[in-house]
Amino acid sequence: MNRLNIKTIIFSCAAAMAAAGCTDLDVDVKSQYTEVPNTPEAIEAVTSEIYNPYRTAMGRQHWMAQTLTTDEAVGVSMGSDYYDGGVYRQMSVHDWNADNGMLGTMWDGAMTGITTCNKTMKMLDGMSESDMAPVRAMRAYYHFLLMDNFGDVPIMGDDASAHPDRSKRADVCRFIESELKDVMKYLPSEVSEATYGKATKYMAEALLAKLYLNWNVYTADNVADYTPETANPKINDCIAMCDSIILSGNYALTDSFMVKFRPDNGPQIKDFVFVMPFDRETLQGMVHARFWKSRSGKDQFGVAPSGPAGNLRCPREFVEKFNLPGDNRNEQYLYGKQYYWENYKRTNRPFIIETTKNGYDQDYTAADKDEPISWQMDYTLDIPLRPNGESTLDVGNDQKGRAAGARSIKFYPDVNATASEGHNQSNDMPIFRYADIILMKAEAILRGGKATLGDTPMSLMNQIRTYVHAPLVTADPTLDELLDERAREFADEGWRRNDLIRYGKFEDNWGFRYLYPQGFNEKFRRIFPIPTSVLNTNTNWTQNEGYTK
């Protein structure tokens, strides 16, 4: 098949999906083409589309929903800037509703991913199990995203109806397990540039490990009734999946911590088991730095084409977890006086803002308020709100407000972005890392699993401590100590919400949670509401328990 026909198939498949809607499975995809992909190159071209539907959500809305609902970050406004109808505030104080725009993008991205996989499987009908396996594995992953975030969701397997009803979360969990176990032996075990960002045996094992570690969360009759003491019958299965990845010898903790997340990361990173690749030119959507950089810090890391939003701030109590002497992970947060950066290193040149006394502090109204001053940007650990600023989390749009709160530079700004590329970064986003495999195994043992391969929670945690040059532990960590280690290791990577729910700490007090005290008891928020737009389409569905709309 020539390249033109391959491109035509991919474009036509996308067009068919858009026309049919994200839950319509009745479209006969194969009948639309005169040729069926029958060469490795053609199959590769057709299946490449299965990795793209969640790109926008992963680069922004999914990341924010997993981050802002935890102690990792709050989303403030600066005067009227970036209140945006309360979308960030809702997540930060735990009073989101079904109209929050982040949720619709997440739902549509995952559902489109499932539909894309199903349509691709129709196109590949008659091909080998090896050709089908990556598509089924990605379909399972998209089901995982829906189930983890929204609870009861449709199971859209091979025999799904055109308008499927929602299934119990536990049944979706078991479907994901069954699919992954069924395709495991057909998935590629090669780890190379050719399989980077693709579904492999180890991606499936990592997803199963994550599924098994949270099994008692996902199979609870009611998510609000889950407690960390709930028995987990799959804890040893989690360890088995971790062991398979460990014994493969394909992954290692040999990369420097901050290097792994830079715009030039890629297949050379030995820690990455499965990633979402991004490229500021051709695979756009990754925009972390846009929201973490100060609104006045446009050129702090190099000449930038676009001004940042700067509305994400890290609460003091989370930053203070980064307190281990010598720990490379301490470098991912900026606070205190700021300096210019070059080539991923901080220079000794102060980052100076030319402003006025009133520009620094909007409450300063003395006669000399317009007097020019030079001020070195200085990020505070506390995040004070403006008087009467609780309703919008307003910190003020003066320099003082723009400097409130620590900032993450884990996903370092892409200084090579051009004006046409805007805020887009080339930092690939890890989904499953080898470091996570190590710490999941440690947690599974602490939760009652059988130790294997001579590993102990202490030895496993020390593998992490060794590569980041942090002090070694001298005894098995407690579960709470392990949770803090996960905070240091996986901050800003979209797993903190998952961790806090499993630990029974999602309702704890941090940041500005006190502004909505009801949230401390609203355990139904461990899953998000079904987006209003989805319920308007599926009128026979009911909203998740606890949500009024």
Side-chain angles (χ1 to χ4, degrees):
M1 178 179 292
N2 64 43
R3 184 172 299 175
L4 178 60
N5 284 338
I6 292 172
K7 286 186 175 181
T8 300
I9 283 180
I10 294 173
F11 174 79
S12 299
C13 182
M17 287 188 295
C22 65
T23 60
D24 188 350
L25 306 184
D26 283 346
V27 179
D28 185 357
V29 178
K30 270 174 74 172
S31 68
Q32 300 177 48
Y33 312 106
T34 58
E35 292 185 71
V36 175
N38 56 8
T39 67
E41 293 78 13
I43 292 170
E44 172 72 15
V46 168
T47 57
S48 66
E49 280 300 294
I50 67 176
Y51 300 101
N52 291 322
Y54 208 69
R55 184 175 305 283
T56 296
M58 184 62 70
R60 179 172 174 178
Q61 289 85 359
H62 172 92
W63 159 62
M64 284 191 168
Q66 312 310 310
T67 303
L68 289 174
T69 57
T70 77
D71 53 351
E72 287 186 334
V74 295
V76 303
S77 69
M78 291 154 284
S80 60
D81 286 354
Y82 283 92
Y83 176 62
D84 290 3
V87 63
Y88 308 109
R89 185 191 187 278
Q90 286 180 8
M91 293 299 190
S92 299
V93 304
H94 278 218
D95 71 343
W96 57 81
N97 59 42
D99 293 322
N100 189 290
M102 295 182 196
L103 304 180
T105 303
M106 292 161 58
W107 178 281
D108 291 346
M111 191 63 74
T112 301
I114 294 171
T115 306
T116 302
C117 290
N118 281 334
K119 293 182 182 300
T120 302
M121 289 175 66
K122 286 188 177 184
M123 294 172 65
L124 296 177
D125 187 28
M127 299 296 167
S128 70
E129 294 279 8
S130 296
D131 293 329
M132 292 286 198
V135 188
R136 291 178 65 186
M138 285 303 298
R139 184 175 67 179
Y141 172 64
Y142 291 127
H143 277 90
F144 173 84
L145 291 171
L146 279 178
M147 179 270 301
D148 179 73
N149 285 293
F150 299 103
D152 297 352
V153 297
I155 294 177
M156 298 173 65
D158 300 341
D159 57 352
S161 65
H163 301 285
D165 203 353
R166 295 163 68 193
S167 296
K168 291 291 185 183
R169 195 186 203 193
D171 293 334
V172 183
C173 180
R174 295 185 182 98
F175 168 76
I176 295 166
E177 178 193 30
S178 175
E179 281 288 285
L180 294 172
K181 290 173 70 174
D182 203 31
V183 302
M184 191 79 71
K185 63 184 176 182
Y186 301 110
L187 287 167
S189 56
E190 172 192 359
V191 175
S192 67
E193 186 172 351
T195 60
Y196 183 73
K198 303 291 182 63
T200 64
K201 172 187 175 185
Y202 309 110
M203 169 269 193
E205 289 175 337
L207 178 52
L208 275 173
K210 191 69 72 173
L211 190 77
Y212 289 146
L213 189 62
N214 293 278
W215 190 267
N216 46 358
V217 180
Y218 297 146
T219 58
D221 289 338
N222 186 322
V223 69
D225 296 332
Y226 163 79
T227 69
E229 292 72 39
T230 305
N232 185 343
K234 296 286 188 177
I235 204 70
N236 285 319
D237 297 277
C238 173
I239 293 172
M241 292 299 102
C242 293
D243 282 349
S244 181
I245 295 171
I246 291 168
L247 291 171
S248 75
N250 288 309
Y251 305 98
L253 299 174
T254 52
D255 305 292
S256 297
F257 183 79
M258 292 296 287
V259 169
K260 291 188 290 193
F261 309 102
R262 298 191 320 199
D264 58 356
N265 63 1
Q268 75 276 13
I269 305 298
K270 298 290 287 183
D271 184 32
F272 289 176
V273 178
F274 181 58
V275 306
M276 175 75 76
F278 285 93
D279 182 90
R280 65 181 186 275
E281 297 179 14
T282 59
L283 297 173
Q284 295 183 339
M286 203 287 184
V287 291
H288 285 29
R290 173 186 179 186
F291 296 94
W292 276 120
K293 289 172 64 177
S294 167
R295 293 214 70 187
S296 299
K298 176 175 175 285
D299 297 327
Q300 183 180 6
F301 301 91
V303 178
S306 304
N311 63 319
L312 263 60
R313 316 293 172 86
C314 184
R316 171 191 281 270
E317 54 263 51
F318 192 79
V319 177
E320 289 179 343
K321 296 180 185 297
F322 295 80
N323 57 5
L324 301 177
D327 191 341
N328 294 159
R329 297 170 299 189
N330 298 343
E331 300 172 16
Q332 61 191 300
Y333 285 100
L334 298 182
Y335 53 89
K337 292 188 180 298
Q338 294 302 295
Y339 298 82
Y340 283 96
W341 287 66
E342 292 179 5
N343 299 320
Y344 306 112
K345 295 183 183 298
R346 198 200 80 173
T347 72
N348 292 322
R349 186 159 62 103
F351 190 77
I352 302 297
I353 304 296
E354 301 297 338
T355 184
T356 64
K357 290 183 176 180
N358 177 253
Y360 169 73
D361 182 353
Q362 63 193 59
D363 290 331
Y364 188 87
T365 57
D368 62 345
K369 65 183 178 66
D370 295 324
E371 180 181 324
I373 61 171
S374 296
W375 173 73
Q376 183 176 359
M377 187 183 292
D378 190 352
Y379 292 150
T380 62
L381 281 175
D382 293 320
I383 309 172
L385 297 177
R386 297 279 304 150
N388 303 313
E390 290 86 355
S391 63
T392 60
L393 298 189
D394 178 19
V395 296
N397 203 12
D398 52 14
Q399 295 301 331
K400 186 169 66 173
R402 294 184 179 193
R407 315 301 164 91
S408 171
I409 57 165
K410 185 172 191 173
F411 293 92
Y412 193 90
D414 194 337
V415 298
N416 294 313
T418 64
S420 63
E421 293 153 7
H423 299 289
N424 285 285
Q425 302 173 232
S426 294
N427 316 59
D428 295 346
M429 185 72 182
I431 297 170
F432 301 125
R433 293 205 277 126
Y434 186 64
D436 201 357
I437 301 303
I438 296 300
L439 290 182
M440 280 198 289
K441 180 176 181 179
E443 183 179 337
I445 296 172
L446 285 175
R447 293 191 184 278
K450 182 180 179 181
T452 58
L453 306 180
D455 291 328
T456 66
M458 181 180 74
S459 69
L460 290 163
M461 190 159 165
N462 277 336
Q463 288 187 47
I464 304 296
R465 291 289 184 92
T466 297
Y467 100 91
V468 297
H469 305 289
L472 301 184
V473 297
T474 57
D476 282 344
T478 65
L479 280 168
D480 282 347
E481 288 170 339
L482 190 64
L483 180 61
D484 281 347
E485 194 72 10
R486 291 189 62 82
R488 288 184 280 266
E489 185 67 27
F490 305 114
D492 220 29
E493 294 183 48
W495 287 114
R496 185 65 172 171
R497 170 182 162 271
N498 183 279
D499 288 346
L500 291 177
I501 292 170
R502 183 174 66 257
Y503 271 77
K505 294 180 179 291
F506 193 58
E507 293 76 38
D508 285 2
N509 188 10
W510 62 71
F512 296 114
R513 293 284 311 278
Y514 66 88
L515 295 175
Y516 183 71
Q518 301 96 305
F520 298 135
N521 298 308
E522 292 182 345
K523 296 183 179 180
F524 64 82
R525 293 187 181 276
R526 292 170 177 176
I527 54 175
F528 293 118
I530 304 300
T532 298
S533 59
V534 176
L535 289 181
N536 288 342
T537 301
N538 300 275
T539 55
N540 60 316
W541 290 6
T542 58
Q543 184 55 274
N544 285 335
E545 184 176 340
Y547 295 102
T548 58
K549 55 179 291 188

